[in-house]
C-alpha cells in the first residue's frame, strides 16, 4: 500500500489540503482497513488447503516409497540424512523428512461435486507437503500445525502440510512467498521469520524388465505424449564407448601416437542426459571430460547456460527444479524434477563415490547412472503385470509411455519377478527393437543409421536434444556451453569407428567365455614354461583379458551387472559398486511398490 504515501498522488492534492495532516492520516487508515478486509475475505474463501494437499499429495506410508518417488518428493533440506543435516530443528522427533518437490497440482476443478477429475485439466496450487519418518522408516502422525514449544503432551512435531510452498510460487519465487495474505503472513511469518536462522549399461525398466544394452548413440529414454491431463515429456540419454583404461599414456611419442591414446572398448556408458517437458526449460546434465573432473565432475546446462550450485544448492527454473547433493565433492549427484509432469530424475557420476578416498584414482571414472521416477497417474504397473494395461489405457485415456526405460509398451506378457541373466546381456531381439524405435537418427557410428530423420512409426520426436536448442535458447548458442553438450566426452580417432575396430556388442555368453578362457590362461602353470605358448598367451591376455579374471569370477559370483562391468570396464571398484547399487535398487524398488499394510 505504499502508493498511499506517494507525494504526487492526485487524491491528496484534490481532496486534502497541505494544512490538514489529520485528514490524510484518517484517509490512509480507512483505505488500508478496506483493503485488508477485502484481502482477508478473498483469502478466507479459498479451498481448504489441507484437503487439497492430502487428496493430491498424501504422504507415502514408509520412507522407502518417498525416497524413490523422485518426481513428487525430495529430501528435506533441514532434516535429511541424504543432505547430512539431521538437526531437524522444526521437525522435532523425526529422523528423515521429505517435502514435495514442486507446488502440489490439483486434480479437480469446478464445484467439486461431481466425480469427473479425469476430464479436467490439472492446475497448480501454492501448497506444499512435508512428510517425516521415524527411525524405523514409518510415517509419523502429523498435528497439521507447527508446534513452537514442546511439552509433555506434545513430545514431537513431525511434518505438516504447507499452505505456502517453501520454494515459492510463480510469480513469487521468494522463499515462502505466495499471492495471498494468510498464506504467508498468517501461517508462516510468526514461525519461520522469528524462530529460525538461515545460513548460507544395466537397465531396470519402469515395468520391471531387466536387460543389459550397449550401443553408441543418443536414445529416447522416456517419452510421454501430451494429453489434457499431462504435458509432453521427453528425456534422452547419450551412450558412448568407454575408453580402454589399460592404455599406457607414458608411451606417447615412443610407441603410441596421439590418435591411439583414446581406444574405445565394446562397452557403452551414459555420458549425458537431456530433459524437458511442455513449457519448461531444457536441462542437460553431462559428465565432464577426462582430466577435467577434479573440481566439478558434472556440468549442468539449463537453457544453454552453464549453472553452478556451489552456493545455491536448490535452484528453480521455468517449470523445472534442480537440486544437488554435494556432500561428496565435485557435484556428483544431481536431481531434476519436472514440476507439472511430477517426474523426477536422479543422476549420479561414478555412483557418487568419494574419489578422495580411492588412492589409485586421481579423478572419477567418467560415467553416469540414472534413476527415473514416474508417478502412478500414468498407468504403468511397476510389478510388470501388463495383462490389462491396454484396456485401462483406452478406458482412462492414459498416455502411451515408451522409451528405453519402457521399450515394449504394447507387450501384453509381463516380466513379473524375473531376474537378470546372461541371456539378457545384449540380446539381439531386445537390441534391434530399441535401436529401431528409440535411437535418434545420425547419433550412432557411421553406417549404422537406417531411419530417416523426422518421426518414426511410434510418433516419438527424433530431434537430438544435445545438438539442438529451443527457440528462446538459440541466442545463447554462441557460448561454449553449446559445444560442451553437443560434442562427445570420449572422442576417438576415426579409425576406431570403422572396420575391425568398430563397435561389436558383447553378449553374456561371449563375456562368460572370455572370462573362462582368461582365467584358464592365468592359472595354467604349464603354459608359462613353454616360450612360444607363453608369448601367445601373454599377447592374448594383454589385448583381450581384464587384469585379474580369476578375481572377477570369485568376487562377482552370479551377479550379472558385476561380471559385465568388472570384465568390460576392467575396474574392481566399478564392478563392486555395480552389484551393490543393483541389489540396493532392486530391494528398495520391491519394497516401495508394495501396498502398505
Amino acid at each position: 500500500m505504499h502508493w498511499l504515501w506517494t507525494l504526487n498522488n492526485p487524491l491528496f492534492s484534490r481532496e486534502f489540503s497541505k494544512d490538514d495532516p489529520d485528514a490524510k492520516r484518517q484517509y490512509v487508515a480507512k483505505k488500508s482497513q478496506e483493503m485488508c478486509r477485502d484481502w482477508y475475505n478473498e483469502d478466507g474463501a479459498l479451498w481448504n488447503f489441507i484437503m487439497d494437499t492430502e487428496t493430491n499429495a498424501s504422504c507415502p506410508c514408509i520412507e522407502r516409497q518417498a525416497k524413490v518417488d523422485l518426481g513428487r518428493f525430495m529430501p528435506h533440506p533441514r532434516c535429511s540424512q541424504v543432505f547430512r543435516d539431521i538437526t531437524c530443528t522444526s521437525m522435532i522427533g523425526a529422523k528423515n523428512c521429505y517435502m514435495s518437490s514442486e507446488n502440489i497440482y490439483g486434480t479437480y476443478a469446478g464445484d467439486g461435486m461431481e466425480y469427473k477429475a479425469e476430464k479436467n485439466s490439472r492446475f497448480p496450487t501454492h501448497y506444499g507437503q512435508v512428510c517425516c519418518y521415524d527411525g524405523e522408516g514409518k510415517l509419523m502422525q502429523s498435528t497439521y500445525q507447527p508446534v513452537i514449544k514442546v511439552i509433555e503432551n506434545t513430545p514431537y512435531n513431525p511434518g505438516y502440510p504447507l499452505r505456502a510452498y517453501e520454494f515459492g510460487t510463480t510469480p513469487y519465487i521468494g522463499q515462502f512467498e505466495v499471492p495471498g495474505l494468510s498464506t504467508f503472513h498468517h501461517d508462516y511469518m510468526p514461525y519461520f521469520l522469528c524462530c529460525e536462522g538461515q545460513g548460507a549399461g544395466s537397465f531396470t525398466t519402469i515395468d520391471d524388465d531387466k536387460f543389459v544394452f550397449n550401443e553408441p548413440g543418443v536414445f529416447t529414454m522416456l517419452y510421454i505424449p501430451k494429453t489434457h491431463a499431462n504435458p509432453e515429456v521427453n528425456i534422452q540419454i547419450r551412450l558412448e564407448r568407454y575408453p580402454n583404461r589399460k592404455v599406457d599414456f607414458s608411451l606417447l611419442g615412443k610407441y603410441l601416437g596421439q590418435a591411439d591414446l583414446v581406444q574405445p572398448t565394446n562397452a557403452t556408458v551414459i555420458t549425458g542426459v537431456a530433459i524437458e517437458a511442455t513449457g519448461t526449460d531444457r536441462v542437460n546434465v553431462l559428465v565432464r571430460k577426462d582430466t577435467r573432473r577434479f573440481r566439478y565432475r558434472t556440468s549442468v546446462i539449463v537453457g544453454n547456460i552453464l549453472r553452478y550450485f556451489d552456493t545455491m544448492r536448490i535452484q528453480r527454473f521455468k517449470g523445472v527444479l534442480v537440486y544437488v547433493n554435494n556432500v561428496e565433492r565435485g557435484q556428483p549427484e544431481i536431481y531434476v524434477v519436472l514440476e507439472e509432469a511430477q517426474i523426477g530424475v536422479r543422476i549420479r557420476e561414478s555412483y557418487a563415490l568419494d574419489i578422495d578416498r580411492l588412492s589409485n584414482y586421481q579423478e572419477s571414472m567418467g560415467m553416469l547412472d540414472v534413476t527415473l521416477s514416474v508417478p502412478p497417474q500414468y498407468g504403468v504397473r511397476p510389478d510388470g503385470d501388463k495383462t490389462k494395461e491396454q484396456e485401462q489405457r483406452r478406458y482412462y485415456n492414459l498416455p502411451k509411455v515408451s522409451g528405453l526405460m519402457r521399450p515394449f509398451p504394447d507387450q501384453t506378457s509381463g516380466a513379473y519377478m524375473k531376474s537378470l541373466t546372461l541371456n539378457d546381456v545384449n540380446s539381439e531381439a531386445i537390441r534391434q527393437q530399441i535401436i529401431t524405435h528409440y535411437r535418434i537418427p545420425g547419433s550412432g557410428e557411421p553406417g549404422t543409421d537406417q531411419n530417416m530423420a523426422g518421426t518414426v512409426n511410434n510418433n516419438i520426436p527424433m530431434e537430438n536434444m544435445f545438438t539442438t536448442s529451443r527457440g528462446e535458447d538459440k541466442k545463447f548458442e554462441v557460448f561454449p556451453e553449446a559445444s560442451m553438450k553437443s560434442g562427445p566426452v570420449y572422442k576417438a580417432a576415426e579409425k576406431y569407428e570403422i572396420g575391425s575396430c568398430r563397435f561389436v556388442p558383447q553378449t553374456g555368453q561371449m563375456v562368460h567365455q572370455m572370462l573362462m578362457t582368461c582365467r584358464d590362461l592365468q592359472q595354467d602353470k604349464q603354459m608359462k614354461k613353454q616360450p612360444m605358448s607363453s608369448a601367445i598367451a601373454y599377447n592374448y591376455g594383454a589385448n583381450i583379458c581384464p587384469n585379474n579374471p580369476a578375481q572377477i569370477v570369485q568376487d562377482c559370483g552370479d551377479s550379472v551387472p558385476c561380471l559385465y562391468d568388472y570384465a568390460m570396464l576392467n575396474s574392481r571398484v566399478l564392478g563392486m559398486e555395480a552389484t551393490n547399487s543393483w541389489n540396493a535398487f532392486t530391494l528398495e524398488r520391491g519394497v516401495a511398490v508394495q501396498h502398505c499394510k
Side-chain angles (χ1 to χ4, degrees):
M1 294 179 290
H2 59 85
W3 61 272
L4 293 174
W5 285 267
T6 305
L7 295 177
N8 296 324
N9 193 325
L11 289 176
F12 288 161
S13 60
R14 185 173 64 251
E15 299 183 11
F16 306 104
S17 64
K18 297 181 180 180
D19 300 330
D20 191 4
D22 293 336
K24 292 183 180 180
R25 285 193 291 268
Q26 292 175 4
Y27 170 78
V28 171
K30 179 181 178 182
K31 188 63 178 178
S32 60
Q33 289 178 2
E34 291 177 356
M35 294 178 64
C36 188
R37 291 193 189 97
D38 295 340
W39 202 354
Y40 182 81
N41 292 334
E42 178 185 356
D43 200 73
L46 294 176
W47 287 85
N48 185 328
F49 86 97
I50 292 182
M51 180 184 67
D52 280 347
T53 302
E54 295 299 337
T55 300
N56 302 305
S58 58
C59 290
C61 57
I62 58 176
E63 182 196 350
R64 284 182 174 176
Q65 292 175 333
K67 183 178 180 180
V68 300
D69 197 350
L70 302 175
R72 294 188 294 179
F73 295 96
M74 61 174 286
H76 199 284
R78 297 180 301 280
C79 185
S80 171
Q81 294 181 4
V82 175
F83 288 154
R84 301 296 196 273
D85 189 345
I86 56 175
T87 54
C88 301
T89 54
S90 57
M91 282 74 71
I92 303 171
K95 296 300 182 183
N96 269 304
C97 290
Y98 293 80
M99 59 178 290
S100 53
S101 54
E102 71 278 322
N103 302 93
I104 293 174
Y105 274 74
T107 54
Y108 58 89
D111 55 9
M113 301 300 294
E114 299 179 1
Y115 297 97
K116 296 181 179 179
E118 69 277 1
K119 298 181 180 180
N120 296 321
S121 300
R122 299 165 65 244
F123 59 94
T125 68
H126 50 73
Y127 312 142
Q129 178 68 283
V130 176
C131 312
C132 291
Y133 300 87
D134 58 17
E136 297 180 357
K138 297 180 179 179
L139 181 65
M140 302 175 68
Q141 185 178 2
S142 175
T143 58
Y144 288 106
Q145 60 184 352
V147 178
I148 307 300
K149 183 179 180 180
V150 178
I151 58 179
E152 293 182 359
N153 296 332
T154 310
Y156 65 92
N157 175 34
Y160 46 88
L162 306 173
R163 185 187 290 272
Y165 181 53
E166 180 166 341
F167 299 149
T169 303
T170 305
Y172 304 91
I173 304 300
Q175 192 176 28
F176 297 114
E177 292 183 6
V178 294
L181 174 64
S182 68
T183 50
F184 180 63
H185 290 276
H186 287 179
D187 289 346
Y188 281 94
M189 187 172 66
Y191 183 64
F192 279 95
L193 293 188
C194 295
C195 307
E196 182 173 352
Q198 190 173 14
S202 298
F203 293 95
T204 299
T205 66
I206 303 173
D207 46 5
D208 207 29
D209 286 330
K210 302 177 180 68
F211 55 85
V212 174
F213 172 77
N214 280 236
E215 180 71 24
V218 176
F219 294 84
T220 298
M221 184 180 186
L222 182 74
Y223 178 74
I224 303 176
K226 179 178 175 60
T227 67
H228 69 279
N230 66 271
E232 181 185 32
V233 178
N234 193 6
I235 302 176
Q236 295 180 359
I237 60 173
R238 183 173 62 199
L239 300 179
E240 297 185 38
R241 297 174 66 180
Y242 196 70
N244 185 1
R245 298 303 190 187
K246 295 170 66 176
V247 176
D248 189 355
F249 280 27
S250 65
L251 301 180
L252 177 63
K254 301 177 182 178
Y255 304 99
L256 283 180
Q258 184 72 31
D260 297 322
L261 291 180
V262 179
Q263 300 180 14
T265 63
N266 285 321
T268 58
V269 297
I270 301 175
T271 60
V273 184
I275 306 166
E276 72 173 356
T278 303
T280 70
D281 287 329
R282 179 178 295 178
V283 181
N284 293 86
V285 180
L286 314 168
V287 62
R288 295 171 71 92
K289 296 185 178 182
D290 282 349
T291 71
R292 304 176 189 178
R293 292 191 294 272
F294 180 76
R295 178 62 183 88
Y296 298 102
R297 293 158 62 172
T298 57
S299 297
V300 182
I301 301 175
V302 182
N304 275 348
I305 299 177
L306 186 62
R307 312 287 180 166
Y308 293 95
F309 294 81
D310 298 295
T311 304
M312 294 185 294
R313 305 291 175 84
I314 303 173
Q315 299 183 31
R316 294 187 77 184
F317 302 95
K318 185 179 178 182
V320 62
L321 171 71
V322 182
Y323 60 98
V324 170
N325 180 10
N326 209 23
V327 172
E328 305 298 345
R329 183 176 60 85
Q331 199 171 283
E333 188 171 5
I334 301 163
Y335 295 81
V336 182
V337 179
L338 298 174
E339 296 183 347
E340 183 180 358
Q342 295 185 329
I343 291 176
V345 184
R346 185 193 69 182
I347 305 166
R348 297 187 304 177
E349 197 278 330
S350 300
Y351 302 101
L353 289 171
D354 187 358
I355 303 300
D356 296 334
R357 296 180 180 270
L358 302 177
S359 58
N360 293 335
Y361 291 86
Q362 293 184 345
E363 66 175 5
S364 58
M365 295 76 171
M367 63 181 67
L368 302 177
D369 68 279
V370 181
T371 302
L372 181 69
S373 173
V374 178
Q377 67 197 42
Y378 295 99
V380 181
R381 289 182 60 97
D383 57 2
D385 186 1
K386 308 175 185 178
T387 54
K388 297 182 179 180
E389 182 174 325
Q390 295 189 18
E391 178 183 351
Q392 293 176 349
R393 190 189 303 169
R394 291 192 301 267
Y395 184 80
Y396 294 106
N397 193 23
L398 298 175
K400 181 180 179 180
V401 181
S402 58
L404 185 56
M405 281 297 186
R406 194 166 185 252
F408 314 113
D410 298 323
Q411 187 178 13
T412 56
S413 60
Y416 184 70
M417 298 297 291
K418 181 183 177 182
S419 60
L420 181 64
T421 65
L422 288 175
N423 295 328
D424 301 317
V425 178
N426 286 316
S427 171
E428 200 61 28
I430 297 177
R431 277 177 42 80
Q432 290 306 318
Q433 292 193 55
I434 293 177
I435 294 173
T436 301
H437 292 106
Y438 304 119
R439 187 168 67 180
I440 305 301
S443 63
E445 288 191 339
T448 60
D449 290 320
Q450 298 179 358
N451 295 333
M452 298 298 294
T455 304
V456 293
N457 53 2
N458 51 357
N459 297 317
I460 296 179
M462 290 289 103
E463 177 190 19
N464 191 331
M465 294 166 58
F466 292 94
T467 58
T468 61
S469 303
R470 297 171 65 93
E472 60 269 24
D473 300 331
K474 290 185 179 296
K475 56 181 175 291
F476 300 113
E477 288 185 344
V478 296
F479 294 160
E481 287 87 329
S483 177
M484 289 174 57
K485 67 184 181 68
S486 61
V489 174
Y490 302 115
K491 178 61 177 177
E494 184 179 355
K495 67 178 182 179
Y496 291 107
E497 299 178 353
I498 58 176
S500 60
C501 296
R502 70 186 311 164
F503 176 78
V504 178
Q506 303 295 300
T507 64
Q509 287 73 20
M510 295 169 65
V511 174
H512 182 265
Q513 184 62 40
M514 180 264 292
L515 284 175
M516 295 300 103
T517 302
C518 294
R519 186 188 63 174
D520 293 342
L521 291 176
Q522 179 186 12
Q523 297 178 346
D524 190 351
K525 298 180 180 180
Q526 296 297 326
M527 184 175 295
K528 298 179 181 179
K529 300 178 181 180
Q530 304 176 13
M532 184 64 68
S533 300
S534 178
I536 296 175
Y538 177 82
N539 185 56
Y540 179 87
N543 294 317
I544 304 298
C545 297
N547 289 340
N548 195 342
Q551 188 71 26
I552 295 177
V553 177
Q554 178 181 345
D555 290 346
C556 294
D558 60 351
S559 174
V560 175
C562 178
L563 285 171
Y564 191 81
D565 289 18
Y566 199 158
M568 298 301 296
L569 304 180
N570 194 26
S571 171
R572 185 177 188 275
V573 174
L574 292 178
M576 294 295 99
E577 284 299 323
T579 188
N580 293 337
S581 179
W582 180 272
N583 293 338
F585 173 77
T586 303
L587 176 62
E588 292 183 353
R589 188 183 192 276
V591 174
V593 300
Q594 293 178 359
H595 294 287
C596 299
K597 298 180 180 179

